[in-house]
Amino acid sequence: MAAIRSRACRLFAKAVGEIRVSNRCVSHFVYTPDASSQDGDTTRLNLFQSINAAMETALKTDPTAIIFGEDVGFGGVFRCTIGLQEKYGRDRVFNTPLCEQGIAGFAIGAAVAGATAIAEIQFADYIYPAFDQIVNEAAKYRYRTGNLFNSGKLTIRTPCMAVGHGALYHSQSPEAFFAHCPGLKIVIPRGPVKAKGLLLSCIRDQDPCIFMEPKVLYRAAVEDVPNGEYELPLGKADILREGADVTLIGWGTQVHVLKEVAEMAESQLGVSCEVIDLVSIIPWDKETIFKSVCKTGRVVIAHEAPLTGGFGAEIAASIQEECFLNLEAPVTRVTGWDTPFPHVFEPFYIPDKWRCFEAVKKLKEF
Amino acid sequence: MHMYAPNFYGGHGIVGAQCPLGAGVAFAHKYLEDKGVCLTLYGDGAANQGQLYEAINMAKLWNLPCLFICENNLYGMGTSTDRSAANNEYYTRGHYIPGIQMDGMDVLAVREGTRFAMDICREGKGPIMIEAKAYRYHGDNGLRSEKPAHRHPEDYS
């Protein structure tokens, strides 16, 4: 009996010893900072640190600025508000109960009364109870009061997009729901440098803004961020790579996927891609997009959100309206599928580099 | 929260969204006269969701066999009940619904308290609110660590 047991143990140890552990790459993208480096006074920061810096600037320069949301006091579940309550006090940086509708309504009230209200919705997947307040109230306040009142001093920040294991309720990209609402601005940064400047612009903007932060980039995106305060313009897209054959359009995490696709297209197909980060969903930079598509004649729009009614649909409709005679092929969208965001099937769901590359290949052969 | 089974309707994205659902299931039991009771569970954090109170109102108005059970472990994610609730006697927050508080760490107390409340419900006497007071040892989802930040150092013993 003992002999059998010890033989079994030896065999087991042998089997375990022969298991090779391989490095599995679980991320569908590789973060690459912009080619142009920042000169001068910079610090190497990741995305949540740069967002923290922008909020600190707001608190420092604007005595009416307040930050609130679930768990922001101790630093927030993604550390974006770390240190702010200690420095600026509980009356300016405070926790709210678990009540998204209440948070949004409260934020509108604070904003209309003159405070620069920066509200956090813990995950974009949870923004829907606040949808009525944002769409029916915040977006329409200036319009329905004849400019007597407005909620322009409101900024809502929320983590969004796929993170590898988020599943139904920690991975969503709800930008399209809000794009359908005049009166709002929606901004999605691709990295720390953009985030710091864009968030400050949103906070200081005269209209209610939703700042959606790709959560997978909080730690993955690291670059040299200028130390001083700076604002970046809203409604302006960035051309990250110039090209002649195909225009690739994306935002947030997807921008980094598209940059890699452009490299693959160059080396494997000899196709030169122009990569554009839309940056602002509304208002969106039609001029830059149309100019690019008129030049290349072929375009791929990629986003994680589902296909039907995704913001790619709006861009596609507008492109075919304005650039019809310049198009060499139909406008292509590579997007999440029309299902709830899955858990274990995430790698098949997101518009990864292989699906986008395939789209570029089809366009070339059209 | 991520499991589903016959008669076990699972968890929701927004915790608290299951409360109106519970009222609806309770309505079905009442309609079908099958002596069924719906147990609708939520936490101290979700107790601050508006839709819970919408569900409570419907349950009382229509006399639904629904037990609203608040699992109070003193922390909603990282925020303590003192700092998130104006009234943290959760068994009283049904207002016009009678409430029972029980020791959530004692399985026999929970069993007897729930049995008591279910019997009342089954007799058609309307919804009951229960608060099961418990303690959370580990960090909540996303806030895992050896020494979870929400606990006081004195609690480690």
Side-chain angles (χ1 to χ4, degrees), chain A residues 37-56:
Chain A
S37 60
Q38 306 288 324
D39 11 80
D41 203 18
T42 64
T43 307
R44 204 143 178 80
L45 297 180
N46 64 26
L47 185 66
F48 77 72
Q49 290 168 327
S50 71
I51 286 167
N52 185 274
M55 286 198 280
E56 173 144 26

mmCIF file of all heavy atoms in Angstrom, chain A residues 37-56:
data_model
loop_
_atom_site.group_PDB
_atom_site.id
_atom_site.type_symbol
_atom_site.label_atom_id
_atom_site.label_comp_id
_atom_site.label_asym_id
_atom_site.label_seq_id
_atom_site.Cartn_x
_atom_site.Cartn_y
_atom_site.Cartn_z
ATOM 1 N N SER A 37 7.633 63.227 -28.536
ATOM 2 C CA SER A 37 7.802 63.245 -27.085
ATOM 3 C C SER A 37 7.613 64.653 -26.557
ATOM 4 O O SER A 37 7.763 65.633 -27.289
ATOM 5 C CB SER A 37 9.191 62.729 -26.725
ATOM 6 O OG SER A 37 10.157 63.562 -27.316
ATOM 7 N N GLN A 38 7.282 64.717 -25.276
ATOM 8 C CA GLN A 38 7.111 66.024 -24.642
ATOM 9 C C GLN A 38 8.459 66.526 -24.197
ATOM 10 O O GLN A 38 9.221 65.784 -23.579
ATOM 11 C CB GLN A 38 6.198 65.874 -23.415
ATOM 12 C CG GLN A 38 4.874 65.202 -23.714
ATOM 13 C CD GLN A 38 3.954 66.108 -24.492
ATOM 14 O OE1 GLN A 38 3.939 67.310 -24.272
ATOM 15 N NE2 GLN A 38 3.224 65.536 -25.418
ATOM 16 N N ASP A 39 8.790 67.776 -24.511
ATOM 17 C CA ASP A 39 10.054 68.269 -23.965
ATOM 18 C C ASP A 39 9.794 69.108 -22.754
ATOM 19 O O ASP A 39 8.688 69.553 -22.491
ATOM 20 C CB ASP A 39 10.845 69.098 -25.002
ATOM 21 C CG ASP A 39 10.035 69.439 -26.213
ATOM 22 O OD1 ASP A 39 9.234 70.388 -26.144
ATOM 23 O OD2 ASP A 39 10.172 68.743 -27.220
ATOM 24 N N GLY A 40 10.836 69.318 -22.032
ATOM 25 C CA GLY A 40 10.749 70.177 -20.862
ATOM 26 C C GLY A 40 10.406 69.396 -19.618
ATOM 27 O O GLY A 40 10.695 68.223 -19.458
ATOM 28 N N ASP A 41 9.709 70.081 -18.765
ATOM 29 C CA ASP A 41 9.421 69.652 -17.406
ATOM 30 C C ASP A 41 8.337 68.578 -17.397
ATOM 31 O O ASP A 41 7.149 68.873 -17.470
ATOM 32 C CB ASP A 41 8.929 70.910 -16.674
ATOM 33 C CG ASP A 41 9.119 70.801 -15.184
ATOM 34 O OD1 ASP A 41 9.912 69.936 -14.772
ATOM 35 O OD2 ASP A 41 8.461 71.558 -14.457
ATOM 36 N N THR A 42 8.737 67.305 -17.333
ATOM 37 C CA THR A 42 7.720 66.255 -17.347
ATOM 38 C C THR A 42 7.970 65.260 -16.231
ATOM 39 O O THR A 42 9.044 65.182 -15.655
ATOM 40 C CB THR A 42 7.731 65.474 -18.683
ATOM 41 O OG1 THR A 42 9.004 64.810 -18.794
ATOM 42 C CG2 THR A 42 7.518 66.372 -19.869
ATOM 43 N N THR A 43 6.939 64.468 -15.942
ATOM 44 C CA THR A 43 7.065 63.348 -15.003
ATOM 45 C C THR A 43 6.431 62.135 -15.662
ATOM 46 O O THR A 43 5.434 62.260 -16.371
ATOM 47 C CB THR A 43 6.298 63.639 -13.694
ATOM 48 O OG1 THR A 43 6.722 64.890 -13.175
ATOM 49 C CG2 THR A 43 6.548 62.562 -12.656
ATOM 50 N N ARG A 44 7.040 60.981 -15.423
ATOM 51 C CA ARG A 44 6.492 59.746 -15.994
ATOM 52 C C ARG A 44 5.259 59.345 -15.174
ATOM 53 O O ARG A 44 5.361 59.010 -13.999
ATOM 54 C CB ARG A 44 7.561 58.657 -15.891
ATOM 55 C CG ARG A 44 7.373 57.592 -16.891
ATOM 56 C CD ARG A 44 8.712 57.061 -17.434
ATOM 57 N NE ARG A 44 8.426 55.997 -18.360
ATOM 58 C CZ ARG A 44 8.044 56.166 -19.620
ATOM 59 N NH1 ARG A 44 7.946 57.387 -20.109
ATOM 60 N NH2 ARG A 44 7.765 55.146 -20.398
ATOM 61 N N LEU A 45 4.104 59.415 -15.810
ATOM 62 C CA LEU A 45 2.848 59.113 -15.104
ATOM 63 C C LEU A 45 2.034 58.097 -15.883
ATOM 64 O O LEU A 45 2.109 58.052 -17.106
ATOM 65 C CB LEU A 45 1.997 60.386 -14.965
ATOM 66 C CG LEU A 45 2.519 61.555 -14.145
ATOM 67 C CD1 LEU A 45 1.498 62.690 -14.165
ATOM 68 C CD2 LEU A 45 2.803 61.136 -12.710
ATOM 69 N N ASN A 46 1.228 57.326 -15.136
ATOM 70 C CA ASN A 46 0.265 56.476 -15.830
ATOM 71 C C ASN A 46 -1.068 57.211 -15.920
ATOM 72 O O ASN A 46 -1.180 58.368 -15.472
ATOM 73 C CB ASN A 46 0.136 55.100 -15.165
ATOM 74 C CG ASN A 46 -0.412 55.191 -13.758
ATOM 75 O OD1 ASN A 46 -1.135 56.130 -13.414
ATOM 76 N ND2 ASN A 46 -0.076 54.220 -12.926
ATOM 77 N N LEU A 47 -2.069 56.552 -16.486
ATOM 78 C CA LEU A 47 -3.320 57.257 -16.766
ATOM 79 C C LEU A 47 -4.004 57.738 -15.497
ATOM 80 O O LEU A 47 -4.472 58.876 -15.435
ATOM 81 C CB LEU A 47 -4.264 56.371 -17.584
ATOM 82 C CG LEU A 47 -5.559 57.053 -18.029
ATOM 83 C CD1 LEU A 47 -5.278 58.173 -19.013
ATOM 84 C CD2 LEU A 47 -6.515 56.042 -18.665
ATOM 85 N N PHE A 48 -4.065 56.887 -14.463
ATOM 86 C CA PHE A 48 -4.804 57.353 -13.287
ATOM 87 C C PHE A 48 -4.041 58.494 -12.583
ATOM 88 O O PHE A 48 -4.646 59.393 -12.001
ATOM 89 C CB PHE A 48 -5.199 56.216 -12.342
ATOM 90 C CG PHE A 48 -4.131 55.640 -11.440
ATOM 91 C CD1 PHE A 48 -3.636 56.365 -10.351
ATOM 92 C CD2 PHE A 48 -3.659 54.357 -11.631
ATOM 93 C CE1 PHE A 48 -2.685 55.815 -9.496
ATOM 94 C CE2 PHE A 48 -2.711 53.806 -10.790
ATOM 95 C CZ PHE A 48 -2.214 54.538 -9.720
ATOM 96 N N GLN A 49 -2.716 58.470 -12.691
ATOM 97 C CA GLN A 49 -1.955 59.558 -12.066
ATOM 98 C C GLN A 49 -2.152 60.877 -12.805
ATOM 99 O O GLN A 49 -2.219 61.947 -12.200
ATOM 100 C CB GLN A 49 -0.463 59.186 -12.029
ATOM 101 C CG GLN A 49 -0.156 58.070 -11.047
ATOM 102 C CD GLN A 49 1.238 57.515 -11.229
ATOM 103 O OE1 GLN A 49 1.780 57.468 -12.339
ATOM 104 N NE2 GLN A 49 1.846 57.091 -10.146
ATOM 105 N N SER A 50 -2.251 60.795 -14.132
ATOM 106 C CA SER A 50 -2.426 62.040 -14.886
ATOM 107 C C SER A 50 -3.827 62.598 -14.664
ATOM 108 O O SER A 50 -4.015 63.818 -14.595
ATOM 109 C CB SER A 50 -2.156 61.805 -16.378
ATOM 110 O OG SER A 50 -3.174 61.053 -16.968
ATOM 111 N N ILE A 51 -4.805 61.703 -14.509
ATOM 112 C CA ILE A 51 -6.174 62.153 -14.217
ATOM 113 C C ILE A 51 -6.203 62.781 -12.827
ATOM 114 O O ILE A 51 -6.842 63.820 -12.599
ATOM 115 C CB ILE A 51 -7.139 60.968 -14.335
ATOM 116 C CG1 ILE A 51 -7.331 60.637 -15.821
ATOM 117 C CG2 ILE A 51 -8.465 61.244 -13.660
ATOM 118 C CD1 ILE A 51 -8.009 59.321 -16.085
ATOM 119 N N ASN A 52 -5.497 62.165 -11.901
ATOM 120 C CA ASN A 52 -5.377 62.710 -10.551
ATOM 121 C C ASN A 52 -4.766 64.104 -10.605
ATOM 122 O O ASN A 52 -5.224 65.037 -9.927
ATOM 123 C CB ASN A 52 -4.509 61.752 -9.725
ATOM 124 C CG ASN A 52 -4.419 62.148 -8.261
ATOM 125 O OD1 ASN A 52 -3.584 62.957 -7.879
ATOM 126 N ND2 ASN A 52 -5.286 61.599 -7.442
ATOM 127 N N ALA A 53 -3.738 64.280 -11.429
ATOM 128 C CA ALA A 53 -3.077 65.581 -11.545
ATOM 129 C C ALA A 53 -4.035 66.640 -12.083
ATOM 130 O O ALA A 53 -4.057 67.779 -11.616
ATOM 131 C CB ALA A 53 -1.843 65.468 -12.446
ATOM 132 N N ALA A 54 -4.839 66.270 -13.073
ATOM 133 C CA ALA A 54 -5.794 67.232 -13.633
ATOM 134 C C ALA A 54 -6.809 67.651 -12.587
ATOM 135 O O ALA A 54 -7.143 68.843 -12.455
ATOM 136 C CB ALA A 54 -6.513 66.620 -14.840
ATOM 137 N N MET A 55 -7.284 66.688 -11.800
ATOM 138 C CA MET A 55 -8.278 67.025 -10.770
ATOM 139 C C MET A 55 -7.649 67.863 -9.680
ATOM 140 O O MET A 55 -8.284 68.767 -9.123
ATOM 141 C CB MET A 55 -8.897 65.755 -10.207
ATOM 142 C CG MET A 55 -9.861 65.121 -11.178
ATOM 143 S SD MET A 55 -10.961 63.957 -10.406
ATOM 144 C CE MET A 55 -9.902 62.536 -10.306
ATOM 145 N N GLU A 56 -6.387 67.589 -9.385
ATOM 146 C CA GLU A 56 -5.726 68.394 -8.369
ATOM 147 C C GLU A 56 -5.603 69.841 -8.843
ATOM 148 O O GLU A 56 -5.799 70.778 -8.077
ATOM 149 C CB GLU A 56 -4.350 67.827 -8.022
ATOM 150 C CG GLU A 56 -3.607 68.756 -7.108
ATOM 151 C CD GLU A 56 -2.740 68.086 -6.072
ATOM 152 O OE1 GLU A 56 -2.300 66.944 -6.313
ATOM 153 O OE2 GLU A 56 -2.511 68.707 -5.031
#
